[in-house]
Amino acid sequence: MLKKIFISAVLLLAVLSFVVSLLKGNNNGEKTVTVPDRVAVINIDGTILSGGDSHDNLFQQSQGITSGTIMRQIREAAADSSVKALLLRIDSGGGSATAAEEVARELRRFKEKTNKPVVATMGNTGASAAYWIAVCSSDKVYANATTLTGSIGVYMPYMNTEELFKKIGISTGKIKSGPYKDIMTNDRPMTPEERAILQNIVDEIYVQFVDAVAKGRKMEASSVRRLADGRVYTGLQAKNLGLVDEVGDYYDALAAAGELGGIKLGEDGLPPVKTQSKQQPWEYFFSAKIAEAVQTAIMQQLQGSLQGNAVQNVAR
């Protein structure tokens, strides 16, 4: 019986693997590289979140990217000897300051370990946390003239629904271990002491943001601070203010990355590219769930076998 179970599991694994290979085909988004030297392109789209590798499920795709995904791709680029430059292709309005800090630290490690150039290019938006990532370690930063960028600043949202609760007859209460344990609760006004605590946190993160921009753009912190009131700038305004290096598109930035990396350019004036496309939902389903499916099938077979043996023993 165990032999039959094992054979069934192997056959199931083979069938699922065959299905994956048929579905996947050439949809991995990576070009065939004939020239060994190339630029690694990392796409940073949507809200930037702090956390591990982001995955889509079978029915929907996430609208953002996690710091874990970006950091993994940076490390993969660092470990690939064919990669001679890194290009960050950004289209994001921002996100978590912690995520930006994590990615910035990994980009610094990339530079220290490989001594290879980093270029950033921004599409519709490259603001707030996305701008932090774009400028922290880049040798060149590109933006389109109409890109919305900057938004150098930090905010911490909160909501007070106390009056609404009163109107609909809801009262709340809590037992807490300290006076600030329920800080930012939405069922009462914030006290001056609580506001001061949170303001200190926002100010501290703001200083880190300003310092990151100052170091990345080789500007005085005081000069950055004059621009860092939270407003966004167009790419053209950012160029004039020194917040980006060039007004240009993705291909301009890609060509610059190739030149900085000493890569032989093709007839189109561009270097070969290594890019990681966003994982498709069916890819996640068949790759991440395949082991679970096999395990479930084996367990069902074992349980059926054991139950059958038990019935036979009782019958005897």
Side-chain angles (χ1 to χ4, degrees):
M1 180 59 71
L2 289 176
K3 184 178 179 180
K4 290 182 179 179
I5 294 173
F6 177 76
I7 293 173
S8 299
V10 171
L11 288 174
L12 178 60
L13 181 60
V15 170
L16 288 175
S17 299
F18 179 68
V19 171
V20 171
S21 65
L22 287 177
L23 287 173
K24 194 166 185 179
N26 293 320
N27 294 327
N28 59 4
E30 185 171 332
K31 298 178 181 179
T32 301
V33 179
T34 55
V35 180
D37 295 344
R38 53 187 180 169
V39 175
V41 178
I42 296 178
N43 294 290
I44 303 175
D45 298 320
T47 304
I48 302 168
L49 306 170
S50 181
D53 243 340
S54 55
H55 293 292
D56 304 316
N57 61 40
L58 181 62
F59 304 103
Q60 64 180 8
Q61 291 180 281
S62 59
Q63 299 302 309
I65 190 168
T66 63
S67 56
T69 295
I70 303 171
M71 290 190 294
R72 173 180 53 78
Q73 293 181 9
I74 293 170
R75 292 208 165 197
E76 288 175 355
D80 189 338
S81 60
S82 71
V83 171
K84 304 302 180 184
L86 185 65
L87 178 62
L88 306 174
R89 191 177 188 182
I90 299 170
D91 196 344
S92 168
S96 163
T98 302
E101 182 187 2
E102 287 183 312
V103 174
R105 185 175 291 108
E106 205 59 46
L107 286 169
R108 286 195 297 271
R109 289 196 183 110
F110 175 87
K111 294 280 289 184
E112 292 167 0
K113 180 180 179 180
T114 68
N115 199 30
K116 295 174 182 177
V118 176
V119 176
T121 177
M122 296 181 282
N124 290 313
T125 54
S128 197
Y131 181 71
W132 186 333
I133 290 172
V135 303
C136 64
S137 295
S138 295
D139 298 278
K140 263 192 171 182
V141 180
Y142 281 75
N144 293 283
T146 54
T147 296
L148 294 181
T149 187
S151 189
I152 305 168
V154 182
Y155 80 98
M156 190 177 292
Y158 71 95
M159 180 184 297
N160 184 357
T161 58
E162 181 183 20
E163 294 302 319
L164 175 62
F165 284 179
K166 287 180 180 178
K167 286 182 179 180
I168 59 179
I170 296 177
S171 60
T172 63
K174 59 182 72 72
I175 300 170
K176 54 185 180 179
S177 59
Y180 303 118
K181 183 58 183 174
D182 65 336
I183 197 169
M184 291 186 74
T185 185
N186 65 348
D187 58 0
R188 64 170 176 79
M190 188 178 296
T191 67
E193 293 79 11
E194 290 172 332
R195 183 176 291 276
I197 290 171
L198 296 176
Q199 186 65 58
N200 286 336
I201 293 173
V202 168
D203 292 344
E204 182 180 318
I205 299 173
Y206 173 74
V207 169
Q208 294 177 40
F209 195 167
V210 169
D211 287 347
V213 174
K215 290 176 182 176
R217 299 304 303 154
K218 296 178 174 58
M219 298 170 64
E220 294 293 331
S222 57
S223 299
V224 175
R225 198 170 289 110
R226 284 194 291 270
L227 305 173
D229 57 4
R231 77 180 70 183
V232 293
Y233 301 95
T234 66
L236 187 59
Q237 291 172 340
K239 169 68 167 61
N240 294 332
L241 293 170
L243 294 177
V244 303
D245 294 297
E246 302 289 347
V247 173
D249 62 16
Y250 164 72
Y251 292 111
D252 295 319
L254 179 58
E259 291 174 1
L260 289 173
I263 301 172
K264 183 179 178 180
L265 304 182
E267 293 182 358
D268 57 358
L270 299 174
V273 168
K274 173 186 179 180
T275 185
Q276 298 192 20
S277 61
K278 196 169 185 180
Q279 187 182 44
Q280 299 302 313
W282 62 262
E283 290 181 303
Y284 170 64
F285 178 79
F286 282 108
S287 62
K289 298 299 183 183
I290 190 168
E292 181 181 339
V294 172
Q295 182 182 10
T296 301
I298 292 174
M299 291 302 298
Q300 287 175 347
Q301 290 272 11
L302 284 172
Q303 288 173 358
S305 175
L306 292 174
Q307 289 173 357
N309 289 336
V311 170
Q312 290 177 5
N313 290 334
V314 170
R316 290 173 187 172

